[in-house]
Amino acid sequence: MPDNAIGILQSNIPDVLTSETINLMSNAWQKSQFRAENEKHKFGLNHRIDSIEILGHLNNFGFFIETLVNRHLLFLNQTGVIDEFSYARISISKIMERLIYIFKDDLNNNKVHLNEITNLFSLRNKTVHFTPDNAIALKPKISELIQIWSQSIKIITKFEQKEKFNEENFSKRLEEHIIEIKTHWT
């Protein structure tokens, strides 16, 4: 086993889930698939999700993206792309500033867009600073969520291409979920 962070992340990683946890997750997934197939709920892309559960998704998804951004910055630091001083400064900045720093060249060349990611963090901030007004106002359209997820795939893919970690590609997994939602729910 390598003794540095990058080496560990690029090496084979042992399974961390117990068989009991995997079985419970599998059973829950199968039940949800059965319900999705048999109950035939379809929603238009302009349908607004009026459920408090969406607040949890927005919060969790924002946290997920922020975690990947932080991990990528650490990768850039560990591989010498970002020196210690710059890393210390950028790692404590706001999430959008970190993303702009990472993608400055791609943004200047119009190869990456962050408008939907900005929207994600705006929505997430409303969930973090929860008020009754925010609960009422937070009713994103299905199409809005799909746009956020699709733009997230693009930035995650760029991270994966640079990092080359030996793990499941989050971008492919997210893309599969988008296809599943479009196929079964819209």
Side-chain angles (χ1 to χ4, degrees):
M1 182 69 97
D3 61 355
N4 63 56
I6 301 300
I8 290 170
L9 287 169
Q10 291 177 337
S11 66
N12 287 329
I13 300 170
D15 290 333
V16 293
L17 298 175
T18 66
S19 59
E20 180 182 1
T21 301
I22 292 170
N23 286 337
L24 288 170
M25 290 169 58
S26 176
N27 289 339
W29 176 254
Q30 289 172 1
K31 286 178 187 176
S32 71
Q33 293 303 298
F34 178 80
R35 287 189 67 201
E37 286 294 323
N38 293 313
E39 293 179 18
K40 300 294 182 200
H41 292 297
K42 295 287 185 174
F43 300 96
L45 292 175
N46 287 326
H47 175 80
R48 291 195 176 272
I49 300 174
D50 185 13
S51 171
I52 196 142
E53 282 85 10
I54 198 64
L55 303 179
H57 168 72
L58 292 168
N59 197 22
N60 290 339
F61 193 71
F63 181 72
F64 168 72
I65 295 297
E66 189 165 6
T67 300
L68 292 180
V69 168
N70 291 342
R71 184 177 87 167
H72 190 70
L73 282 171
L74 181 61
F75 170 81
L76 294 175
N77 174 255
Q78 293 292 305
T79 56
V81 175
I82 299 176
D83 61 72
E84 286 295 327
F85 178 79
S86 299
Y87 174 74
R89 300 298 300 154
I90 194 71
S91 67
I92 60 171
S93 65
K94 293 181 179 182
I95 181 64
M96 291 311 298
E97 291 169 358
R98 286 179 262 162
L99 280 164
I100 290 167
Y101 178 84
I102 290 169
F103 292 114
K104 61 184 173 273
D105 293 334
D106 288 329
L107 288 166
N108 286 334
N109 295 322
N110 211 22
K111 291 182 179 178
V112 167
H113 302 279
L114 298 176
N115 55 321
E116 295 302 331
I117 304 300
T118 301
N119 187 23
L120 167 64
F121 285 100
S122 172
L123 292 170
R124 187 195 72 167
N125 288 342
K126 289 176 184 169
T127 71
V128 172
H129 304 291
F130 185 78
T131 65
D133 290 341
N134 283 348
I136 293 167
L138 279 170
K139 295 177 185 172
K141 293 179 184 179
I142 291 174
S143 60
E144 184 179 4
L145 293 174
I146 290 172
Q147 289 171 331
I148 289 169
W149 298 330
S150 297
Q151 196 168 79
S152 297
I153 288 172
K154 292 175 184 174
I155 66 167
I156 294 169
T157 298
K158 289 199 168 282
F159 291 162
E160 291 167 344
Q161 288 169 346
K162 284 188 179 181
E163 296 169 347
K164 295 180 178 76
F165 292 156
N166 185 15
E167 65 185 8
E168 181 179 9
N169 285 9
F170 294 125
S171 60
K172 287 187 175 106
R173 188 80 179 267
L174 183 53
E175 193 165 13
E176 289 168 3
H177 287 302
I178 292 171
I179 291 168
E180 192 77 18
I181 286 169
K182 285 180 176 179
T183 302
H184 292 291
W185 297 102
T186 62

